[in-house]
PDB file of all heavy atoms in Angstrom:
ATOM      1  N   VAL A 439      -6.418 -75.871 -24.865  1.00  0.00           N
ATOM      2  CA  VAL A 439      -6.696 -76.310 -26.226  1.00  0.00           C
ATOM      3  C   VAL A 439      -7.347 -75.146 -26.954  1.00  0.00           C
ATOM      4  O   VAL A 439      -8.362 -74.606 -26.491  1.00  0.00           O
ATOM      5  CB  VAL A 439      -7.636 -77.535 -26.239  1.00  0.00           C
ATOM      6  CG1 VAL A 439      -8.010 -77.905 -27.663  1.00  0.00           C
ATOM      7  CG2 VAL A 439      -6.986 -78.709 -25.532  1.00  0.00           C
ATOM      8  N   ALA A 440      -6.755 -74.759 -28.078  1.00  0.00           N
ATOM      9  CA  ALA A 440      -7.309 -73.691 -28.908  1.00  0.00           C
ATOM     10  C   ALA A 440      -7.878 -74.321 -30.169  1.00  0.00           C
ATOM     11  O   ALA A 440      -7.145 -74.937 -30.943  1.00  0.00           O
ATOM     12  CB  ALA A 440      -6.223 -72.680 -29.253  1.00  0.00           C
ATOM     13  N   ILE A 441      -9.166 -74.193 -30.349  1.00  0.00           N
ATOM     14  CA  ILE A 441      -9.841 -74.747 -31.511  1.00  0.00           C
ATOM     15  C   ILE A 441     -10.155 -73.607 -32.470  1.00  0.00           C
ATOM     16  O   ILE A 441     -10.749 -72.606 -32.071  1.00  0.00           O
ATOM     17  CB  ILE A 441     -11.140 -75.465 -31.102  1.00  0.00           C
ATOM     18  CG1 ILE A 441     -10.833 -76.612 -30.138  1.00  0.00           C
ATOM     19  CG2 ILE A 441     -11.898 -75.952 -32.340  1.00  0.00           C
ATOM     20  CD1 ILE A 441     -12.062 -77.260 -29.525  1.00  0.00           C
ATOM     21  N   THR A 442      -9.750 -73.764 -33.727  1.00  0.00           N
ATOM     22  CA  THR A 442     -10.115 -72.796 -34.751  1.00  0.00           C
ATOM     23  C   THR A 442     -10.951 -73.516 -35.794  1.00  0.00           C
ATOM     24  O   THR A 442     -10.670 -74.662 -36.142  1.00  0.00           O
ATOM     25  CB  THR A 442      -8.874 -72.164 -35.416  1.00  0.00           C
ATOM     26  OG1 THR A 442      -8.036 -73.198 -35.927  1.00  0.00           O
ATOM     27  CG2 THR A 442      -8.079 -71.336 -34.437  1.00  0.00           C
ATOM     28  N   MET A 443     -11.989 -72.844 -36.260  1.00  0.00           N
ATOM     29  CA  MET A 443     -12.859 -73.438 -37.267  1.00  0.00           C
ATOM     30  C   MET A 443     -13.578 -72.338 -38.024  1.00  0.00           C
ATOM     31  O   MET A 443     -13.591 -71.181 -37.575  1.00  0.00           O
ATOM     32  CB  MET A 443     -13.857 -74.398 -36.633  1.00  0.00           C
ATOM     33  CG  MET A 443     -14.754 -73.815 -35.591  1.00  0.00           C
ATOM     34  SD  MET A 443     -15.727 -75.154 -34.866  1.00  0.00           S
ATOM     35  CE  MET A 443     -16.338 -74.351 -33.411  1.00  0.00           C
ATOM     36  N   ILE A 444     -14.135 -72.711 -39.161  1.00  0.00           N
ATOM     37  CA  ILE A 444     -14.866 -71.717 -39.926  1.00  0.00           C
ATOM     38  C   ILE A 444     -16.189 -71.421 -39.225  1.00  0.00           C
ATOM     39  O   ILE A 444     -16.713 -72.256 -38.492  1.00  0.00           O
ATOM     40  CB  ILE A 444     -15.086 -72.151 -41.390  1.00  0.00           C
ATOM     41  CG1 ILE A 444     -15.882 -73.448 -41.474  1.00  0.00           C
ATOM     42  CG2 ILE A 444     -13.767 -72.279 -42.135  1.00  0.00           C
ATOM     43  CD1 ILE A 444     -16.289 -73.823 -42.891  1.00  0.00           C
ATOM     44  N   PRO A 445     -16.726 -70.222 -39.395  1.00  0.00           N
ATOM     45  CA  PRO A 445     -17.976 -69.840 -38.738  1.00  0.00           C
ATOM     46  C   PRO A 445     -19.142 -70.729 -39.174  1.00  0.00           C
ATOM     47  O   PRO A 445     -19.117 -71.348 -40.229  1.00  0.00           O
ATOM     48  CB  PRO A 445     -18.209 -68.407 -39.214  1.00  0.00           C
ATOM     49  CG  PRO A 445     -16.882 -67.911 -39.660  1.00  0.00           C
ATOM     50  CD  PRO A 445     -16.153 -69.120 -40.172  1.00  0.00           C
ATOM     51  N   GLY A 446     -20.165 -70.758 -38.332  1.00  0.00           N
ATOM     52  CA  GLY A 446     -21.373 -71.477 -38.684  1.00  0.00           C
ATOM     53  C   GLY A 446     -21.977 -72.254 -37.528  1.00  0.00           C
ATOM     54  O   GLY A 446     -23.079 -72.781 -37.655  1.00  0.00           O
ATOM     55  N   ARG A 447     -21.266 -72.337 -36.427  1.00  0.00           N
ATOM     56  CA  ARG A 447     -21.801 -73.056 -35.268  1.00  0.00           C
ATOM     57  C   ARG A 447     -22.249 -72.057 -34.215  1.00  0.00           C
ATOM     58  O   ARG A 447     -21.584 -71.059 -33.978  1.00  0.00           O
ATOM     59  CB  ARG A 447     -20.748 -73.998 -34.700  1.00  0.00           C
ATOM     60  CG  ARG A 447     -20.514 -75.186 -35.628  1.00  0.00           C
ATOM     61  CD  ARG A 447     -19.056 -75.530 -35.660  1.00  0.00           C
ATOM     62  NE  ARG A 447     -18.806 -76.564 -36.650  1.00  0.00           N
ATOM     63  CZ  ARG A 447     -18.093 -76.325 -37.739  1.00  0.00           C
ATOM     64  NH1 ARG A 447     -17.593 -75.141 -37.993  1.00  0.00           N
ATOM     65  NH2 ARG A 447     -17.882 -77.298 -38.598  1.00  0.00           N
ATOM     66  N   ASP A 448     -23.346 -72.370 -33.560  1.00  0.00           N
ATOM     67  CA  ASP A 448     -23.863 -71.446 -32.554  1.00  0.00           C
ATOM     68  C   ASP A 448     -23.096 -71.586 -31.233  1.00  0.00           C
ATOM     69  O   ASP A 448     -22.291 -72.494 -31.056  1.00  0.00           O
ATOM     70  CB  ASP A 448     -25.363 -71.639 -32.355  1.00  0.00           C
ATOM     71  CG  ASP A 448     -25.743 -73.041 -31.880  1.00  0.00           C
ATOM     72  OD1 ASP A 448     -24.927 -73.684 -31.180  1.00  0.00           O
ATOM     73  OD2 ASP A 448     -26.856 -73.482 -32.198  1.00  0.00           O
ATOM     74  N   GLU A 449     -23.384 -70.677 -30.314  1.00  0.00           N
ATOM     75  CA  GLU A 449     -22.673 -70.645 -29.033  1.00  0.00           C
ATOM     76  C   GLU A 449     -22.891 -71.924 -28.226  1.00  0.00           C
ATOM     77  O   GLU A 449     -21.979 -72.404 -27.558  1.00  0.00           O
ATOM     78  CB  GLU A 449     -23.093 -69.427 -28.217  1.00  0.00           C
ATOM     79  CG  GLU A 449     -22.667 -68.104 -28.825  1.00  0.00           C
ATOM     80  CD  GLU A 449     -21.154 -67.960 -28.927  1.00  0.00           C
ATOM     81  OE1 GLU A 449     -20.446 -68.236 -27.928  1.00  0.00           O
ATOM     82  OE2 GLU A 449     -20.679 -67.574 -30.010  1.00  0.00           O
ATOM     83  N   THR A 450     -24.095 -72.483 -28.290  1.00  0.00           N
ATOM     84  CA  THR A 450     -24.379 -73.717 -27.553  1.00  0.00           C
ATOM     85  C   THR A 450     -23.507 -74.857 -28.061  1.00  0.00           C
ATOM     86  O   THR A 450     -22.920 -75.608 -27.269  1.00  0.00           O
ATOM     87  CB  THR A 450     -25.872 -74.090 -27.681  1.00  0.00           C
ATOM     88  OG1 THR A 450     -26.657 -73.020 -27.136  1.00  0.00           O
ATOM     89  CG2 THR A 450     -26.183 -75.386 -26.962  1.00  0.00           C
ATOM     90  N   THR A 451     -23.400 -74.995 -29.362  1.00  0.00           N
ATOM     91  CA  THR A 451     -22.571 -76.047 -29.957  1.00  0.00           C
ATOM     92  C   THR A 451     -21.111 -75.862 -29.560  1.00  0.00           C
ATOM     93  O   THR A 451     -20.431 -76.830 -29.196  1.00  0.00           O
ATOM     94  CB  THR A 451     -22.721 -76.040 -31.490  1.00  0.00           C
ATOM     95  OG1 THR A 451     -24.100 -76.260 -31.812  1.00  0.00           O
ATOM     96  CG2 THR A 451     -21.858 -77.110 -32.140  1.00  0.00           C
ATOM     97  N   LYS A 452     -20.641 -74.631 -29.604  1.00  0.00           N
ATOM     98  CA  LYS A 452     -19.247 -74.353 -29.217  1.00  0.00           C
ATOM     99  C   LYS A 452     -19.005 -74.672 -27.742  1.00  0.00           C
ATOM    100  O   LYS A 452     -17.994 -75.266 -27.384  1.00  0.00           O
ATOM    101  CB  LYS A 452     -18.905 -72.893 -29.497  1.00  0.00           C
ATOM    102  CG  LYS A 452     -18.815 -72.567 -30.965  1.00  0.00           C
ATOM    103  CD  LYS A 452     -18.532 -71.087 -31.144  1.00  0.00           C
ATOM    104  CE  LYS A 452     -18.530 -70.676 -32.586  1.00  0.00           C
ATOM    105  NZ  LYS A 452     -18.283 -69.227 -32.746  1.00  0.00           N
ATOM    106  N   ARG A 453     -19.938 -74.287 -26.897  1.00  0.00           N
ATOM    107  CA  ARG A 453     -19.786 -74.549 -25.462  1.00  0.00           C
ATOM    108  C   ARG A 453     -19.754 -76.055 -25.188  1.00  0.00           C
ATOM    109  O   ARG A 453     -18.935 -76.550 -24.417  1.00  0.00           O
ATOM    110  CB  ARG A 453     -20.917 -73.891 -24.677  1.00  0.00           C
ATOM    111  CG  ARG A 453     -20.756 -73.986 -23.172  1.00  0.00           C
ATOM    112  CD  ARG A 453     -21.722 -73.109 -22.414  1.00  0.00           C
ATOM    113  NE  ARG A 453     -21.904 -71.776 -22.948  1.00  0.00           N
ATOM    114  CZ  ARG A 453     -21.038 -70.771 -22.835  1.00  0.00           C
ATOM    115  NH1 ARG A 453     -19.906 -70.964 -22.208  1.00  0.00           N
ATOM    116  NH2 ARG A 453     -21.302 -69.588 -23.336  1.00  0.00           N
ATOM    117  N   GLU A 454     -20.637 -76.807 -25.860  1.00  0.00           N
ATOM    118  CA  GLU A 454     -20.658 -78.257 -25.679  1.00  0.00           C
ATOM    119  C   GLU A 454     -19.366 -78.896 -26.176  1.00  0.00           C
ATOM    120  O   GLU A 454     -18.840 -79.812 -25.537  1.00  0.00           O
ATOM    121  CB  GLU A 454     -21.868 -78.856 -26.398  1.00  0.00           C
ATOM    122  CG  GLU A 454     -23.178 -78.522 -25.723  1.00  0.00           C
ATOM    123  CD  GLU A 454     -24.403 -78.963 -26.505  1.00  0.00           C
ATOM    124  OE1 GLU A 454     -24.259 -79.513 -27.610  1.00  0.00           O
ATOM    125  OE2 GLU A 454     -25.521 -78.743 -26.001  1.00  0.00           O
ATOM    126  N   LEU A 455     -18.852 -78.425 -27.295  1.00  0.00           N
ATOM    127  CA  LEU A 455     -17.576 -78.937 -27.808  1.00  0.00           C
ATOM    128  C   LEU A 455     -16.449 -78.656 -26.813  1.00  0.00           C
ATOM    129  O   LEU A 455     -15.633 -79.533 -26.523  1.00  0.00           O
ATOM    130  CB  LEU A 455     -17.254 -78.298 -29.165  1.00  0.00           C
ATOM    131  CG  LEU A 455     -15.883 -78.632 -29.758  1.00  0.00           C
ATOM    132  CD1 LEU A 455     -15.720 -80.132 -29.979  1.00  0.00           C
ATOM    133  CD2 LEU A 455     -15.691 -77.860 -31.061  1.00  0.00           C
TER     134      LEU A 455
END
Side-chain angles (χ1 to χ4, degrees):
V439 175
I441 300 172
T442 55
M443 58 186 165
I444 60 172
R447 289 141 186 114
D448 60 30
E449 293 298 312
T450 300
T451 301
K452 290 178 184 179
R453 186 169 317 285
E454 289 173 358
L455 174 60

